[in-house]
Amino acid sequence: MLTLTHALLAASLLAGPVSTDIALPAQPAPLHGTLLTPEAPTAVAVILPGSGPTDRDGNSPMGVAASTYRLLAEGLAEQGVATVRIDKRGIAASAAAGLEETKLRFDDYAADARAWAAEAASRTDQPCAWLIGHSEGALVALKAVEGGDDKICGLILLSGAGRPAGVVIREQLQAALPEPLKTQAFAVLTELEAGRTVADTPPALAALFRPSVQPYLISWLPLDPAVLLAAYDGPVFIGQGTTDLQIAVTDAQALAAADSKATLKLWDGVNHLLKTAPADRAANLATYADPALPLAPGVAEDVGAFIRAH
């Protein structure tokens, strides 16, 4: 005979996780996100998005519609892990919270990550929240724990750079720019890394080095993810796909080398957006616009298993 208790349990399982739009008080306007809560969550994590106009689901008007963060949140919910996925300052529902470009600093994103961790823990009655940083979000997560924070359980670093941004940018410009523009760009980078603004930049480099964005670049370029990780004592999971066109396996290995206690997982045939994809560039990029394509097998499961084990 089906008891009332069994009926209620069955109903809760059929209902699935509960999705709730939430707001976090901030200046000049609140930040917004989605809390996805399974029945009786055993942990909670905040998913920090990558660079550019990437929203809480992992999509962007720049042609990305893969819904990576939504799919990751759903996969974690199946394992009893609640998540908060966020629109960062200036993006989507958090557009009004965007700061003037001249005032924005990398530390602002790190401070928001700490605030979201405390909010996520409070809303789910957990002692702390994990930070899941994807792409540039991995560096945000590393900066957020600098100096310690008892509301952050640990770090999940997915598709994250293992070297300072200046090193990566130089590699990209090396192949993309002709001389003498390349030499000029490298000179500007060197000045910014030293904390000095550059008034006279070539018009062809305005998109990258415009005066209004230089203070943000100065706050970002010197950050070394491996150094930040080496100074962190909490549990760390590093996940990297082998067919990632944007971040190399060597980046993940550099991060792992900085923390002997970290867990490194390389997913074979998985790209930057954590989808199964070939190394062929065109076929790989085609997955960026396919929300129907699931996350690669094992990605959400490995992340969830690490969180549950710690």
Side-chain angles (χ1 to χ4, degrees):
M1 178 180 294
L2 185 66
T3 66
L4 178 60
T5 301
H6 289 144
L8 291 174
L9 177 59
S12 68
L13 292 174
L14 288 172
V18 177
S19 181
T20 309
D21 286 339
I22 61 174
L24 176 69
Q27 294 297 329
L31 300 169
H32 294 269
T34 297
L35 171 63
L36 189 64
T37 314
E39 184 76 12
T42 57
V44 65
V46 178
I47 300 175
L48 304 174
S51 61
T54 305
D55 68 17
R56 71 183 77 179
D57 287 340
N59 299 327
S60 162
M62 307 295 287
V64 179
S67 295
T68 293
Y69 307 152
R70 176 181 60 78
L71 293 171
L72 179 59
E74 291 170 353
L76 291 174
E78 292 177 1
Q79 302 174 74
V81 178
T83 54
V84 173
R85 56 190 197 272
I86 66 171
D87 291 332
K88 59 187 176 181
R89 286 182 181 271
I91 303 302
S94 297
L99 301 174
E100 293 180 27
E101 191 169 65
T102 55
K103 296 179 180 178
L104 182 66
R105 303 292 183 272
F106 197 86
D107 281 352
D108 294 320
Y109 292 133
D112 289 343
R114 289 191 291 271
W116 274 118
E119 182 73 9
S122 174
R123 284 180 177 266
T124 54
D125 294 323
Q126 299 294 322
C128 55
W130 290 79
L131 293 183
I132 300 177
H134 175 254
S135 194
E136 188 181 74
L139 184 59
V140 174
L142 285 164
K143 184 64 175 174
V145 296
E146 187 179 37
D149 189 315
D150 62 3
K151 288 298 181 182
I152 297 174
C153 308
L155 303 179
I156 308 293
L157 309 176
L158 305 177
S159 310
R163 300 163 294 162
V167 175
V168 178
I169 291 173
R170 281 184 176 84
E171 284 185 358
Q172 295 170 343
L173 297 182
Q174 179 71 34
L177 293 181
E179 293 288 1
L181 205 56
K182 180 164 54 183
T183 299
Q184 293 173 311
F186 286 2
V188 174
L189 273 173
T190 299
E191 288 297 293
L192 294 174
E193 288 168 332
R196 297 184 291 266
T197 57
V198 180
D200 187 18
T201 57
L205 299 174
L208 183 59
F209 297 129
R210 59 192 178 278
S212 59
V213 81
Q214 288 186 25
Y216 176 80
L217 294 176
I218 287 172
S219 75
W220 171 53
L221 287 170
L223 297 178
D224 188 329
V227 170
L228 290 170
L229 181 51
Y232 179 61
D233 291 331
V236 176
F237 177 93
I238 301 163
Q240 176 65 41
T242 64
T243 54
D244 189 329
L245 299 176
Q246 295 167 249
I247 298 293
V249 168
T250 52
D251 282 284
Q253 292 169 333
L255 287 174
D259 182 358
S260 60
K261 301 186 301 297
T263 294
L264 171 62
K265 179 67 177 182
L266 300 180
W267 292 302
D268 190 43
V270 173
N271 71 0
H272 192 67
L273 297 188
L274 309 178
K275 306 287 185 90
T276 299
D280 175 75
R281 184 174 182 84
N284 194 306
L285 292 177
T287 70
Y288 282 47
D290 187 358
L293 185 66
L295 290 187
V299 170
E301 293 80 3
D302 288 343
V303 172
F306 184 85
I307 290 174
R308 295 197 313 275
H310 293 80

